[in-house]
Amino acid sequence: LKPYVPAGDCLVALTADWAGRIWWASLAGLVGVVEPSTGAVAVLDLGEEIINGLTVDETGIYVVTDRALRKLVTGPDGVPTTSWRAEYDRGSQTKPGQLNRGSGSTPVVLDQALVAITDNADPAMRVVFFEAATGREICSRAVFEKDASASESGLVSMGSGVVVANTYGQRGWRSTVLGRAGAR
């Protein structure tokens, strides 16, 4: 992928879709698809930072950027395209325990055709549920204490709900990425 990921950028996510294509995402917001049978690579520049993983279901790929949740699909030419884009509340700052200003969670697909992420709302982070087919926000719920909520952990699917971890106050990549105990 070296010709497709410029110097200074790096890969942050990699997954296979239901058709066997390999999808990847870079920190700078590039999303690419590799067709294994031909080795062809197609790239889409989202223009938004990506710091979380990719999630796949039988209809497409879900990626959360520092500004929006997106559903991506491949067009007839194999080029990735945005099926829908749903902005979320990215808050006013990067909170202690976060790696960037935005969602800290990889999207999770739930069994009722929903996709969930955390946002970065002030004064309290929310879990936000979207309709997987359209990106329409279904509902949201603030979690944890005001001015003491952040997440850099993936949501855990529990049927139609999720479990969310609070990483507010954790310092440094070891505590945030490796999940060591924080201040709260």
Side-chain angles (χ1 to χ4, degrees):
L1 297 176
K2 190 173 182 177
Y4 306 100
V5 181
D9 195 2
C10 64
L11 291 181
V12 294
L14 186 70
T15 195
D17 70 11
W18 287 53
R21 293 175 294 247
I22 308 300
W23 289 73
W24 54 269
S26 79
L27 182 64
L30 301 175
V31 176
V33 179
V34 180
E35 177 56 57
S37 63
T38 64
V41 178
V43 180
L44 173 65
D45 185 352
L46 300 181
E48 300 168 356
E49 186 175 273
I50 300 171
I51 202 157
N52 298 299
L54 301 169
T55 298
V56 62
D57 72 6
E58 61 274 7
T59 66
I61 300 290
Y62 302 91
V63 60
V64 66
T65 71
D66 62 342
R67 298 180 181 275
L69 172 64
R70 293 175 185 247
K71 181 176 184 177
L72 305 176
V73 295
T74 53
D77 56 0
V79 176
T81 186
T82 299
S83 174
W84 54 255
R85 180 182 184 275
E87 290 191 13
Y88 62 86
D89 188 342
R90 62 190 299 247
S92 60
Q93 65 182 331
T94 301
K95 297 174 185 170
Q98 290 183 296
L99 299 174
N100 75 348
R101 180 179 163 200
S103 175
S105 65
T106 296
V108 63
V109 176
L110 304 170
D111 61 0
Q112 267 112 15
L114 301 176
V115 179
I117 62 168
T118 58
D119 67 9
N120 188 35
D122 295 320
M125 172 188 76
R126 301 175 309 152
V127 176
V128 187
F129 295 86
F130 299 88
E131 190 175 80
T134 66
R136 180 175 64 91
E137 185 176 321
I138 301 297
C139 66
S140 65
R141 177 74 175 194
V143 292
F144 308 118
E145 299 173 36
K146 291 180 179 179
D147 300 317
S149 61
S151 187
E152 280 298 339
S153 295
L155 298 170
V156 177
S157 172
M158 299 290 288
S160 62
V162 295
V163 175
V164 59
N166 190 359
T167 62
Y168 185 88
Q170 295 183 2
R171 305 279 191 254
W173 71 270
R174 286 181 185 224
S175 65
T176 302
V177 176
L178 299 178
R180 298 178 189 233
R184 295 189 184 265

